[in-house]
Structure formats: structure tokens, C-alpha cells
């Protein structure tokens, strides 16, 4: 059994909601040294023996039900831009199950 398929693995992955947000902030070009604090949470989903389904569930938990709050410094316009572009709802793939996106 892979980590993702276990309860412990599921906990470890959904606990990365803040990490996912920081990575996306980096990809959007937001200066990471302007992020001074943050907190994130996502629901724990039930494990599944199939790796793709298990991975899909954990990623869907972060994408569709995760919440992150970032505390930033710098110009308000930069903070507003990040707040508008960071949510996963802005993705062209938003609404599709992660397992489907991964398989494609």
C-alpha cells in the first residue's frame, strides 16, 4: 500500500493546503518574502486502496474544500491581485475531479 492510500498518508497530504497556496503564489510571481504568516486546512477524506482514486480524493479535498489565509505585507494592489488570482476556482480545469485531470 502506498502512503496516499493510507489514513496517515491522507492526513499528510491534506495538511499541505498551505504549501499548495505558497507554491501557487510563487508561480503567480508574488514575492514570497511578502508572506509573513499563513494558516490552511482541508477536510480529511476516506482512504481508498486504488492509488489514483486516493490521490484524487486528497487533491480534491485541497482544491475544492481547502481554505487558506495568508497574511502579507507590501502594496495593497499586490495583495488584492494575489487574493483574486490565488483561489483554485480561477483554473481552467476547476470543477473536474483531480483523478480525471491526472489520468488525462
Amino acid at each position: 500500500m502506498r502512503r496516499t492510500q493510507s489514513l496517515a498518508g491522507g492526513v499528510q497530504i491534506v495538511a499541505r493546503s498551505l504549501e499548495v497556496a505558497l507554491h501557487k503564489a510563487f508561480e503567480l510571481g508574488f514575492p514570497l518574502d511578502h508572506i509573513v504568516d499563513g494558516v490552511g486546512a482541508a477536510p480529511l477524506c476516506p482512504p481508498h486502496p486504488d492509488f489514483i482514486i486516493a490521490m484524487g480524493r486528497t487533491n480534491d479535498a485541497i482544491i475544492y474544500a481547502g481554505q487558506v489565509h495568508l497574511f502579507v505585507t507590501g502594496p495593497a494592489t499586490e495583495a488584492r491581485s494575489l487574493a483574486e488570482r490565488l483561489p483554485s476556482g480561477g483554473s481552467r480545469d476547476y470543477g473536474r475531479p483531480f483523478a480525471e485531470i491526472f489520468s488525462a
Side-chain angles (χ1 to χ4, degrees):
M1 180 179 294
R2 295 182 182 178
R3 293 184 309 213
T4 305
Q5 297 159 274
S6 70
L7 182 58
V11 169
Q12 186 267 338
I13 292 168
V14 299
R16 291 181 173 176
S17 58
L18 180 58
E19 176 189 358
V20 170
L22 292 174
H23 177 74
K24 186 168 181 184
F26 171 78
E27 291 295 325
L28 291 171
F30 189 82
L32 295 183
D33 60 338
H34 288 192
I35 300 173
V36 295
D37 201 359
V39 63
L44 180 59
C45 45
H48 195 280
D50 180 274
F51 173 71
I52 299 296
I53 293 172
M55 182 178 59
R57 285 180 178 182
T58 55
N59 281 279
D60 287 345
I62 293 171
I63 294 167
Y64 300 114
Q67 294 187 6
V68 171
H69 299 274
L70 298 178
F71 300 88
V72 302
T73 61
T77 54
E78 288 182 12
R80 181 182 319 274
S81 176
L82 179 65
E84 291 171 350
R85 298 181 307 145
L86 192 62
S88 56
S91 169
R92 61 181 158 72
D93 289 322
Y94 186 80
R96 292 176 60 199
F98 184 82
E100 179 183 301
I101 295 166
F102 182 79
S103 294

